[in-house]
Amino acid sequence: DIQMTQSPSSLSASVGDRVTITCRASQSISGFLNWYQQKPGKAPKLLIYTASTLQTGVPSRFSGDGSGTYFTLTIVGLQPDDFATYYCQQSYSAPPTFGGGTKVEIK
Amino acid sequence: EVQLVETGGGLIQPGGSLRLSCAASGFSVSDNYMSWVRQAPGKGLEWVSVIYSGGSTYYADSVKGRFTISRDISKNTLYLQMNSLRAEDTAVYYCARGLGSSWSLFDFWGQGTLVTVSS
């Protein structure tokens, strides 16, 4: 199975900050990397797929980049609604696997 | 509007069985890839099983031989039959739809149902 490693596991930030989360795959996954946002007690929500494609309805302050084994999720101008846990996930090969998550907290 | 509603979770003793349901609306489960994904309390996400639009099914190694995914087209509902349950199966179980031709890219999720395996 492909292992997905996210860093940091948590971070504190203020409204308006720029935040970057990284995700590394244990082997090349080309561009088959997806990002989800999850709030407490809620289901995950797809934000970005195939590394950089914004899902319909997702604000443009979110962006994704990367290929191969290294990927990033960036939020420019953090909003109160963005405080949540973010997961990366590879859809390159079965079984699909998720990173351990990055919790974005209010500073 | 696309909606997925899971039911059937609860407290079950080790070795017991439980069947989860996921009622879909706004689309047809038979025309899409449908998966179950679980999340143990305070932990990350783990894919469990998928049923393809053509009916093929696949499972994570951790549940193979114990869980069975199925669907009822007439009810537009997805199921997960869970047998020989273990403490490590305790989790919130989500059903999720695959996006387009990608079975492992999940664009819609239900709200989840909690399964607790404990004596």
Side-chain angles (χ1 to χ4, degrees):
Chain A
D1 297 2
I2 297 176
Q3 307 303 314
M4 307 301 294
T5 303
Q6 285 181 238
S7 63
S9 56
S10 66
L11 65 90
S12 295
S14 301
V15 172
D17 282 355
R18 176 190 179 104
V19 167
T20 297
I21 298 168
T22 66
C23 177
R24 293 180 187 269
S26 60
Q27 66 184 73
S28 177
I29 57 171
S30 187
F32 293 94
L33 189 283
N34 315 305
W35 291 97
Y36 300 85
Q37 176 194 66
Q38 186 178 35
K39 297 181 179 179
K42 301 295 185 182
K45 172 189 173 184
L46 178 64
L47 293 178
I48 289 170
Y49 58 96
T50 54
S52 61
T53 303
L54 221 58
Q55 172 68 333
T56 302
V58 174
S60 59
R61 62 180 179 272
F62 291 90
S63 64
D65 197 10
S67 66
T69 64
Y70 182 78
F71 301 86
T72 59
L73 171 69
T74 299
I75 311 170
V76 176
L78 199 65
Q79 296 299 301
D81 191 49
D82 301 337
F83 292 94
T85 300
Y86 294 84
Y87 292 93
C88 63
Q89 176 241 333
Q90 65 83 15
S91 51
Y92 177 76
S93 70
T97 47
F98 295 83
T102 296
K103 187 174 184 179
V104 177
E105 300 176 299
I106 300 173
K107 182 183 287 185
Chain B
E1 180 191 6
V2 171
Q3 196 170 12
L4 295 166
V5 179
E6 301 96 333
T7 56
L11 175 63
I12 187 75
Q13 291 189 339
S17 297
L18 208 57
R19 189 178 81 158
L20 307 182
S21 300
C22 169
S25 56
F27 73 101
S28 172
V29 297
S30 63
D31 292 338
N32 290 269
Y33 298 106
M34 297 296 300
S35 281
W36 288 96
V37 179
R38 68 185 180 183
Q39 186 171 36
K43 302 296 184 182
L45 298 159
E46 179 189 19
W47 172 79
V48 172
S49 180
V50 62
I51 183 166
Y52 283 15
S53 52
S56 298
T57 60
Y58 300 92
Y59 301 91
D61 288 344
S62 57
V63 306
K64 200 172 296 181
R66 300 188 299 123
F67 290 11
T68 302
I69 190 172
S70 64
R71 65 193 180 194
D72 185 327
I73 296 173
S74 66
K75 295 182 179 179
N76 207 27
T77 298
L78 178 74
Y79 300 101
L80 186 68
Q81 177 67 43
M82 303 185 296
N83 299 330
S84 303
L85 282 161
R86 308 166 180 168
E88 54 264 36
D89 296 318
T90 294
V92 174
Y93 284 74
Y94 298 99
C95 60
R97 186 182 76 170
L99 175 59
S101 60
S102 176
W103 73 266
S104 57
L105 166 55
F106 311 115
D107 69 339
F108 277 101
W109 301 59
Q111 86 289 349
T113 187
L114 176 62
V115 173
T116 303
V117 184
S118 175
S119 54

